[in-house]
């Protein structure tokens, strides 16, 4: 066996891997047929809605739980008589964690199945991929996940938090706790970079210092150096926008470096009950998260939701913020349709302003102007049992402000 | 100064991880010339072995210690199985070996997904290994990193001794240096190949056990590591261990210092640029093994 043959083959292997990667993010474009809106088919005694989530690939772990909660809401609504006397008939599609596939499936749901609304998407990348499809066809998407803000499409309802309902309240909490300096750690893509821009502007206006900012590629699991930098910075708190597997490695490293929730608390915005389970409470106990909903949120509506979810999917399944937002989105759509008296997209949009719903997270109100939802912000602490308990909330629902127009310090951002 | 020493330690410990994941490959790729793309999945198998053992033996310390030999045997057995079923039939067709083992790696990933589910699983680390040792001057040394460093050191010593002094080691070296002559001298080269593959794959299993202390255990953990492992072996020079050891630690320290001075992404670029430059200068790697084989 010669050395050189070995290396040439290795080069071949690398080319193969690269080619596969390229193919994965290939350029399948959706068909450019630009006719104005397709009307939903509501002639029968059922109304179809589309469910667009990744049931395979890297995002499946999170998105399957969202699909489950949407299905739960649909079953409950059907059992109570449906919407405008019609039973909801779900049409499920798999986005396969691949953004062009999301766009293709969205097109299919709208044009072939002629659904009245679509519920789904998780990553900002998938939302950005389907946005033009919904706008071109004048169809409705309900997007259930907290995101980086700075977006407002007339054909998307955002039922998760925008930045002023999650990140800004999280920062307010840290400030009230006396934190004077922050260290920012995030995954290297659009959400953490945008979020950190907002955090830096906030810090500057509020007399806090940002001592450092580090990004790790998605999937990165080597955090020795970042932890060293965080530790030697002596920051009062860490703001964590890491996503996915990186959190596991980061928190393991954090603990071995001798950093704790008391010596240097970490506030995370992408770790909910489901993720706590997979990272391990050994590493997370006492750390903070910012969301709008926890499984432990008090109230009759939540008790009913948690009980129904566990009865349907298993007692060991936790409920989390994106799941709740997805569940709520179906009820909000129902209320909009009933107020409009029709399934017609334009009428539904016009009817949306001021719609309220007694959600598991508390009262939520649709803001017709931004098509976001007014919701209560919460900061919680991870307990030894893996559940998150609230340590602070905003008291009242916060009006959504995706472009942060009402915050003077955010002037230069959008 | 404390930061500098802390960073040096981080670099060395990154190097230890690289060394552990590359050591098995140094044997199967370096010595035997088999490009095994499923090597990363043997690492994954080692990690899942730790997870499974912890379900049975709940004491985290014991389950980790027992996992080391068990993972070695499990991953080694998978390696031998792969060697007997597929690789042996393809020794003369390296490109086919590459494709076949890549396919095997995909199958193993899906298998892990079917058995353990696609979400990551986690193991509890023994309390002793989650802490750190505080040295004078504010330097802290993480216990789990020390453990991995010791493990990597132990594995290198054991492997070196095995290759130098045991009869099996002598046979392995003989086959590497001149397969035909070894065969004529009465060495059962096929059996030697199988043993080499067993040890190489088993070392991947041990790396998997070590990685449970640092990061997540998931079906795709192996694919993230395989490229790094190949880089270390290729740069170190194919055919012997010395280069692998030196290059693993050099890349670890380079990565850590680059990352400290800039950012993680830039540091990765720096490492790759350094590797490309180095291979331009020494395409054969850091050290080369003189063999009498004609191929």
């Amino acid at each position: 066996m010669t050395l050189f043959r070995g290396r040439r083959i290795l080069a071949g292997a690398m080319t193969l891997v690269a080619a596969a990667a390229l193919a994965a993010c290939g350029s399948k474009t959706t068909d450019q047929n630009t006719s104005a809106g397709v009307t939903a088919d509501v002639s029968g005694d059922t109304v179809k809605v589309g469910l667009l989530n990744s049931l395979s690939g890297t995002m499946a772990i999170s998105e399957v739980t969202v699909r489950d909660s949407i299905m739960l809401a649909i079953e409950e609504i059907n059992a109570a008589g449906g919407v405008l006397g019609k039973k909801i008939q779900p049409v499920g599609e798999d986005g396969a964690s691949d953004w062009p596939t999301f766009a293709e499936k969205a097109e299919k749901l709208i044009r072939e199945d002629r659904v009245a609304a679509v519920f789904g998407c998780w990553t900002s990348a998938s939302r950005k991929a389907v946005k033009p499809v919904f706008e071109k066809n004048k169809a409705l998407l309900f997007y259930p996940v907290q995101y980086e803000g700075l977006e407002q499409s007339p054909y998307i309802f955002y039922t998760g938090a925008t930045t002023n309902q999650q990140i800004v309240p999280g920062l307010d909490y840290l400030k009230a706790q006396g934190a004077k300096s922050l260290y920012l750690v995030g995954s290297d893509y659009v959400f953490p970079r945008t979020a950190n821009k907002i955090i830096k502007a906030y810090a500057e206006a509020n007399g806090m210092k940002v001592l450092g900012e580090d990004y790790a590629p998605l999937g990165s699991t080597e955090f020795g150096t970042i932890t060293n930098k965080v530790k030697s910075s002596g920051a009062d708190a860490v703001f964590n926008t890491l996503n996915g597997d990186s959190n596991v490695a980061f928190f393991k490293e954090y603990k071995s470096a001798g950093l704790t929730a008391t010596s240097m608390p970490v506030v995370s915005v992408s770790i909910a009950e489901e993720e706590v389970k997979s990272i391990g409470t050994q590493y997370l106990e006492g750390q903070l998260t910012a969301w709008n909903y926890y499984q432990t949120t008090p109230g009759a509506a939540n008790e009913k939701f948690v009980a129904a979810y566990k009865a349907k999917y298993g007692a060991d399944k936790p409920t989390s913020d994106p799941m709740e937002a997805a569940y709520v989105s179906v009820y909000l759509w129902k209320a909009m349709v009933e107020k409009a008296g029709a399934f017609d997209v334009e009428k539904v949009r016009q009817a949306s302003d001021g719609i309220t719903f007694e959600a598991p997270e508390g009262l939520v109100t649709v803001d017709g102007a931004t098509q976001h939802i007014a919701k209560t912000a919460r900061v919680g602490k991870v307990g030894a049992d893996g559940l998150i308990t609230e340590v602070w909330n905003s008291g009242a629902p916060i009006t959504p402000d995706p472009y942060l127009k009402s915050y003077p310090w955010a002037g230069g951002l959008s | 100064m404390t930061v500098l020493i802390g960073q040096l330690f981080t670099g060395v410990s990154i190097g230890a991880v690289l060394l552990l994941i590359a050591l098995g490959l140094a044997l199967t790729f370096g010595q035997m010339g088999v490009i095994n793309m499923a090597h990363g999945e043997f690492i994954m198998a080692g990690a899942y072995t730790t997870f499974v053992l912890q379900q049975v033996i709940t004491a985290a310390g014991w389950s980790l210690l027992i996992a080391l030999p068990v993972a070695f045997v499990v991953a080694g057995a998978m390696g031998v199985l792969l060697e007997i079923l597929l690789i042996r039939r393809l020794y003369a067709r390296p490109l086919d070996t590459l494709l076949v083992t890549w396919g095997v790696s995909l199958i193993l990933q899906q298998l892990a997904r079917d058995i353990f589910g696609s979400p990551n699983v986690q193991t509890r680390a023994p309390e002793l290994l989650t802490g750190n040792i505080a040295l004078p001057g504010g330097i802290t040394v993480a216990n789990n990193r020390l453990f991995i460093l010791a493990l990597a050191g132990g594995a290198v010593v054991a492997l070196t001794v095995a290759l130098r002094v045991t009869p099996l080691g002598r046979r392995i070296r003989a086959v590497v240096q001149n397969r035909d002559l070894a065969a004529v001298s009465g060495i059962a080269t096929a059996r030697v190949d199988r043993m080499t593959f067993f040890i190489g794959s088993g070392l991947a299993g041990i790396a998997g056990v070590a990685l449970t202390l640092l990061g997540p255990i998931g079906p795709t953990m192996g694919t993230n590591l395989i490229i790094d492992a190949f880089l270390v072996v290729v740069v170190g020079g194919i055919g012997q261990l010395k280069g692998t050891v030196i290059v693993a630690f050099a890349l670890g320290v380079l990565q850590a210092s680059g990352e400290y001075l800039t950012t993680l992404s830039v540091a990765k670029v720096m490492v790759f640029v350094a590797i490309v430059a180095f291979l331009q200068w020494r395409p054969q790697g850091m050290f080369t093994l003189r063999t009498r084989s004609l191929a």
Side-chain angles (χ1 to χ4, degrees):
Chain A
M1 172 60 64
T2 70
L3 306 172
F4 295 100
R5 204 192 312 160
R7 183 154 314 110
R8 201 154 52 223
I9 290 157
L10 194 65
M14 300 300 168
T15 320
L16 211 63
V17 171
L22 271 177
C25 46
S27 54
K28 285 174 254 168
T29 45
T30 51
D31 95 83
Q32 292 298 311
N33 185 359
T34 51
S35 72
V38 188
T39 41
D41 177 15
V42 289
S43 47
D45 53 3
T46 58
V47 55
K48 282 188 196 164
V49 301
L51 314 187
L52 184 53
N53 317 90
S54 298
L55 304 182
S56 53
T58 172
M59 290 306 299
I61 164 181
S62 307
E63 294 192 41
V64 166
T65 65
V66 165
R67 166 72 62 94
D68 288 347
S69 357
I70 297 172
M71 286 302 293
L72 177 66
I74 291 176
E75 273 177 30
E76 287 179 5
I77 291 171
N78 281 345
V83 184
L84 291 182
K86 289 179 197 290
K87 291 264 163 38
I88 303 175
Q89 184 192 341
V91 183
E93 284 295 342
D94 179 6
S97 311
D98 177 54
W99 324 139
T101 305
F102 266 92
E104 246 170 55
K105 301 285 187 181
E107 188 93 29
K108 183 235 164 209
L109 285 170
I110 299 166
R111 294 191 156 268
E112 286 177 34
D113 299 313
R114 297 175 67 194
V115 298
V118 176
F119 299 88
C121 293
W122 179 293
T123 63
S124 288
S126 66
R127 187 189 69 250
K128 299 254 186 224
V130 301
K131 186 168 162 257
V133 178
F134 283 92
E135 289 174 352
K136 182 184 75 183
N137 290 304
K138 301 197 191 324
L140 273 187
L141 169 71
F142 284 78
Y143 175 70
V145 183
Q146 49 81 224
Y147 80 114
E148 68 279 1
L150 310 180
E151 189 180 295
Q152 192 171 306
S153 164
Y155 294 99
I156 301 178
F157 280 95
Y158 305 80
T159 66
T162 178
T163 43
N164 80 315
Q165 299 166 314
Q166 184 191 25
I167 290 173
V168 175
L171 290 166
D172 285 339
Y173 174 79
L174 284 178
K175 192 185 162 198
Q177 295 293 304
K180 297 258 181 298
S181 54
L182 293 176
Y183 202 100
L184 313 182
V185 178
S187 295
D188 205 354
Y189 75 104
V190 55
F191 168 68
R193 287 211 177 248
T194 315
N196 284 348
K197 238 193 261 172
I198 292 167
I199 295 170
K200 281 188 284 184
Y202 177 98
E204 199 179 328
N206 286 279
M208 289 161 104
K209 277 207 191 80
V210 173
L211 298 177
E213 183 182 2
D214 265 298
Y215 297 94
L218 271 173
S220 168
T221 53
E222 179 52 67
F223 283 89
T225 304
I226 288 182
T227 309
N228 267 353
K229 283 177 162 179
V230 169
K231 191 175 184 187
S232 63
S233 76
D236 291 336
V238 177
F239 209 98
N240 166 27
T241 44
L242 288 172
N243 253 271
D245 295 353
S246 296
N247 275 310
V248 183
F250 174 67
F251 279 102
K252 282 190 176 178
E253 200 68 55
Y254 205 75
K255 186 168 184 196
S256 353
L259 297 168
T260 64
T262 36
S263 68
M264 200 189 279
V266 182
V267 181
S268 307
V269 291
S270 301
I271 296 179
E273 284 82 347
E274 188 72 33
E275 287 76 22
V276 170
K277 226 171 62 177
S278 79
I279 296 169
T281 43
Q282 188 186 17
Y283 301 100
L284 279 177
E285 197 181 339
Q287 300 291 13
L288 301 168
T289 63
W291 289 105
N292 306 95
Y293 165 88
Y294 300 110
Q295 185 179 317
T296 57
T297 300
N302 187 34
E303 278 167 27
K304 183 174 150 263
F305 170 59
V306 173
Y309 191 87
K310 287 186 185 292
K312 187 162 159 56
Y313 299 109
D316 60 331
K317 295 277 196 279
T319 57
S320 69
D321 182 287
M323 291 159 64
E324 190 262 358
Y327 173 82
V328 168
S329 67
V330 187
Y331 276 98
L332 288 175
W333 171 74
K334 170 181 182 273
M336 291 174 199
V337 169
E338 283 170 351
K339 188 175 161 196
F343 291 101
D344 181 77
V345 168
E346 295 305 328
K347 284 184 187 152
V348 167
R349 285 185 54 220
Q350 276 154 24
S352 68
D353 190 40
I355 295 271
T356 60
F357 178 65
E358 222 20 270
E361 66 180 86
L363 186 76
V364 295
T365 312
V366 178
D367 177 49
T370 58
Q371 301 199 160
H372 285 60
I373 311 296
K375 48 205 300 164
T376 308
R378 294 186 161 85
V379 173
K381 193 176 260 186
V382 179
D385 55 358
L387 292 178
I388 305 172
T389 41
E390 183 178 313
V391 292
W392 175 89
N393 70 52
S394 59
I398 300 173
T399 310
D401 185 0
Y403 289 92
L404 298 172
K405 283 179 193 144
S406 55
Y407 298 83
W409 49 263
L413 290 174
S414 52
Chain B
M1 189 58 195
T2 39
V3 175
L4 207 70
I5 296 171
Q7 262 317 101
L8 194 68
F9 177 69
T10 304
V12 170
S13 65
I14 294 176
V17 173
L18 283 175
L19 181 56
L20 266 180
I21 60 177
L23 206 54
L25 206 64
L27 215 56
T28 56
F29 176 52
Q31 310 265 348
M32 290 170 67
V34 171
I35 297 186
N36 177 16
M37 297 298 277
H39 188 79
E41 277 58 48
F42 295 159
I43 299 177
M44 172 193 79
Y48 273 113
T49 303
T50 321
F51 168 73
V52 170
L53 276 174
Q54 199 165 75
Q55 308 305 306
V56 186
I57 307 160
T58 38
W62 284 112
S63 64
L64 186 75
L65 280 183
I66 296 170
L68 286 171
V70 176
F72 183 81
V73 175
V74 168
M78 286 169 72
V80 169
L81 209 63
L82 180 69
E83 206 268 346
I84 293 175
L85 293 179
L86 294 169
I87 293 177
R88 191 173 52 153
R89 297 159 207 283
L90 298 169
Y91 272 134
R93 296 148 63 188
L95 203 59
D96 295 350
T97 313
L98 170 83
L99 287 174
V100 163
T101 53
W102 198 25
V104 168
S105 115
L106 294 178
I107 291 170
L108 289 177
Q109 278 176 37
Q110 191 54 43
L111 205 65
R113 220 170 265 133
D114 289 344
I115 298 174
F116 301 100
S118 51
N120 291 329
V121 296
Q122 39 130 347
T123 56
R124 276 169 302 104
E127 225 23 74
L128 184 68
L129 292 184
T130 59
N132 58 59
I133 299 169
L135 298 178
I139 304 160
T140 54
V141 173
N143 292 351
N144 57 356
R145 298 267 181 187
L146 271 182
F147 176 76
I148 290 172
L149 196 58
L151 194 63
V156 170
V157 171
L159 191 58
T160 313
V161 170
L163 284 180
R164 289 250 168 96
V165 303
T166 66
L168 173 68
R170 270 200 300 277
R171 284 200 291 270
I172 290 177
R173 283 184 296 138
V175 172
V176 167
Q177 285 175 8
N178 195 324
R179 176 174 294 268
D180 295 337
L181 202 53
V184 190
S185 316
I187 294 175
T189 55
R191 207 163 69 210
V192 170
D193 285 341
R194 212 165 305 146
M195 270 320 282
T196 314
F197 221 79
F198 177 76
I199 298 172
S201 309
L203 286 169
I206 289 192
V209 177
L211 285 171
T212 62
L213 295 170
L214 294 179
I217 307 167
T220 55
M221 64 184 288
T223 36
N224 301 333
L225 304 167
I226 188 78
I227 304 242
D228 283 343
F230 270 112
L231 282 179
V232 169
V233 178
V234 170
V235 176
I238 291 164
Q240 40 83 49
L241 293 178
K242 190 166 49 174
T244 304
V245 176
I246 295 174
V247 168
F249 285 114
L251 288 185
V253 172
L254 183 65
Q255 164 82 33
S257 33
E259 196 184 332
Y260 186 76
L261 297 173
T262 59
T263 65
L264 206 155
S265 306
V266 175
K268 282 248 185 274
V269 173
M270 281 167 57
V271 168
F272 275 96
V273 168
I275 287 174
V276 170
F278 181 81
L279 288 179
Q280 287 301 314
W281 172 54
R282 275 186 81 85
Q284 70 276 40
M286 188 171 274
F287 299 100
T288 44
L289 184 73
R290 280 193 203 158
T291 73
R292 286 166 201 237
S293 62
L294 298 169

